[in-house]
Amino acid sequence: MSLISGGIRGLIAATDGVAATVEALQFSTGEGPCVDASRWRRPVLQPDLDTSSVARWPGFAAGAVNAGVRTVFAFPLHIGGIHLGVLDLHRNTAGSLTATELAEAVACADAATALLLHLQRRTPEGAALHPALADRLGRIEVHQATGMVMVQARVSLADAMLLLRARAFADDRPIKDLARDVLIRTVRFSPLRAGHDTTTD
Amino acid sequence: MEPDQHLLSALLQLTDTLVTRVDIIDVLNTVTAASTSLLNAAAAGVLLEDQRGGLQPIATSSDRAEIRELFELQSHQGPSLDCYRSGAPVRNLSTDHATHRWPDLGSAFRTAGVCTIHALPLQVRGHTIGAVSLLHADPHPLDAHDTALAQALADLATIGLIQDPALSDATTIGAHLQGALNSRILIEQAKGALSERHAITIEAAYQLLRQHARRAGQPMATLAAAVLQQSGTATGITPHPQS
């Protein structure tokens, strides 16, 4: 298993040397399940690297099989357009994920997404587990408001989400309520100046 | 329009969307709109299995928060979840009956003026992957004809979702649906960005995205991703297209 983050452009965690090898192969060849998962914004499941995937990822597949890897399942860690990384799971025997295993992998991916979001800057101490920021799947209002704040504050989409979270935490109220205020335009976020977070009501 | 004309028009619109472009979100939104008009539902939603033990709405006929909530509340309880688990339609459920089984959900239905609820399964290659939820504001039993029509619309939604014949087992289908659910979030984020950038409503932003996506022959999610890049102004999406 390994966790990579596009933002940090590197391997964050790998359970063993084989995992690290798999990631190194994807970086050096520029191809592979995690590259595709990032690009296509959906999980890429390859239950047997020794077959048709050789044509799909000629450089990666051969190298991975040599390293003893037969399956790779790549899960993009994203919230819409906020792309935080990819979770790669691999096995040394061929075979698909069962439905239960898929659900477990998705749960892992959720946890990894929450972790990576927390590791971004501007998340206040203790905020990651605050009840105001619960509701992992988010509400549609929060996603719409994130897009608005991105434009208002002239920041990236990820930073826009973090600004919303920080404000909800500071105000000690659910993020979906803050999001509704953003949508009806009673709360606006201004572009940041010299590190000072300015918000206007 | 005669009822048959109405049906024909809705079917043509749906098949046009299915055949000309692969845009899952556009198809599903069209299905919910067709479900309300052809079946006289006050609101319709498409919910998908979320790999987290429940269902997640991916399309709703109305973007109003109080309507969307009626489908979001069905994530872990309710007729759509029953339909998904059993693979069988739920027909002619009254709000009273719903309130007995699921007090919070029933109460939300009542407050919104919902009287009758139905759910049709989304099924592909033997797997149930979600449900279409129909909410009526009047006592509205679904007769055999309407049931067949509702199921046909659900089947069209499934065709739109699972176009690739290589998607044949529950796992690959489940993974595919995760991508579709994320596309929906992408589009919602882009709606917010376009709304703010051009000082238009969220609904107008959706129509703008949809028009430009059709013109470009691309799925809305692809265009939405471009809108959300820092240099999103380069996409050329404006409220006043040239042609």
Side-chain angles (χ1 to χ4, degrees), chain B residues 9-240:
Chain B
S9 168
L11 285 173
L12 283 173
Q13 192 186 355
L14 269 168
T15 50
D16 173 64
T17 309
L18 278 169
V19 166
T20 56
R21 287 180 317 124
V22 178
D23 190 333
I24 289 172
I25 304 298
D26 199 1
V27 168
L28 296 176
N29 284 329
T30 306
V31 165
T32 59
S35 296
T36 56
S37 65
L38 294 176
L39 298 164
N40 293 311
V46 176
L47 296 91
L48 299 183
E49 59 181 8
D50 66 359
Q51 301 304 323
R52 295 162 182 89
L55 300 174
Q56 192 177 347
I58 188 169
T60 56
S61 55
S62 167
D63 206 22
R64 284 166 47 204
E66 59 271 24
I67 302 292
R68 241 194 353 247
E69 189 122 31
L70 300 176
F71 300 106
E72 286 164 3
L73 284 171
Q74 295 189 57
S75 283
H76 292 95
Q77 60 178 337
S80 297
L81 195 62
D82 281 0
C83 172
Y84 162 67
R85 286 181 175 156
S86 69
V90 171
R91 295 195 301 158
N92 312 323
L93 179 73
S94 69
T95 298
D96 282 347
H97 193 171
T99 310
H100 281 307
R101 292 195 56 193
W102 314 287
D104 291 343
L105 179 61
S107 166
F109 282 150
R110 178 167 293 110
T111 304
V114 173
C115 190
T116 317
I117 303 116
H118 313 288
L120 287 307
L122 295 169
Q123 287 169 325
V124 58
R125 310 194 231 291
H127 308 290
T128 306
I129 60 169
V132 175
S133 173
L134 302 173
L135 308 177
H136 294 261
D138 53 348
H140 198 101
L142 220 54
D143 62 19
H145 173 269
D146 280 353
T147 302
L149 180 54
Q151 189 61 61
L153 288 168
D155 292 344
L156 281 168
T158 307
I159 291 170
L161 273 165
I162 314 288
Q163 295 216 1
D164 185 353
L167 297 172
S168 57
D169 63 270
T171 304
T172 52
I173 289 169
H176 180 76
L177 296 182
Q178 288 293 296
L181 288 168
N182 194 63
S183 288
R184 198 275 173 98
I185 295 175
L186 249 176
I187 287 165
E188 296 299 327
Q189 292 164 337
K191 281 158 68 173
L194 286 170
S195 166
E196 178 66 22
R197 193 170 281 150
H198 300 295
I200 56 179
T201 64
I202 294 283
E203 170 58 29
Y206 173 73
Q207 293 303 331
L208 190 64
L209 190 66
R210 188 162 172 263
Q211 284 162 24
H212 278 267
R214 290 194 159 208
R215 195 169 291 124
Q218 286 187 329
M220 283 189 293
T222 303
L223 215 60
V227 165
L228 293 168
Q229 298 302 310
Q230 271 291 78
S231 54
T233 47
T235 59
I237 292 184
T238 68
H240 306 290

Side-chain angles (χ1 to χ4, degrees), chain A residues 41-43 45 78-81 97-99 102-103 106 110 136-137 139-141 143-144 147-148 150-152 154-157 180 185 188, chain B residues 50-52 56 63 65 68-69 72 171 174-175 178-179 182 184-186 188-189 191-193 195-197 200 202 221-222 225 227-228 230:
Chain A
R41 294 183 297 267
R42 58 176 168 79
L45 312 180
H78 51 193
I79 304 167
L97 287 173
T98 65
L102 176 64
V106 166
D110 283 355
R136 189 232 78 99
L137 292 176
R139 298 298 188 93
I140 295 304
E141 290 89 345
H143 300 310
Q144 292 172 354
M148 290 179 70
M150 181 191 86
V151 174
Q152 285 174 8
R154 295 188 208 138
V155 295
S156 70
L157 198 61
R180 283 188 191 140
R185 300 177 188 278
R188 279 191 66 83
Chain B
D50 66 359
Q51 301 304 323
R52 295 162 182 89
Q56 192 177 347
D63 206 22
R68 241 194 353 247
E69 189 122 31
E72 286 164 3
T171 304
Q178 288 293 296
N182 194 63
R184 198 275 173 98
I185 295 175
L186 249 176
E188 296 299 327
Q189 292 164 337
K191 281 158 68 173
S195 166
E196 178 66 22
R197 193 170 281 150
I200 56 179
I202 294 283
T222 303
V227 165
L228 293 168
Q230 271 291 78

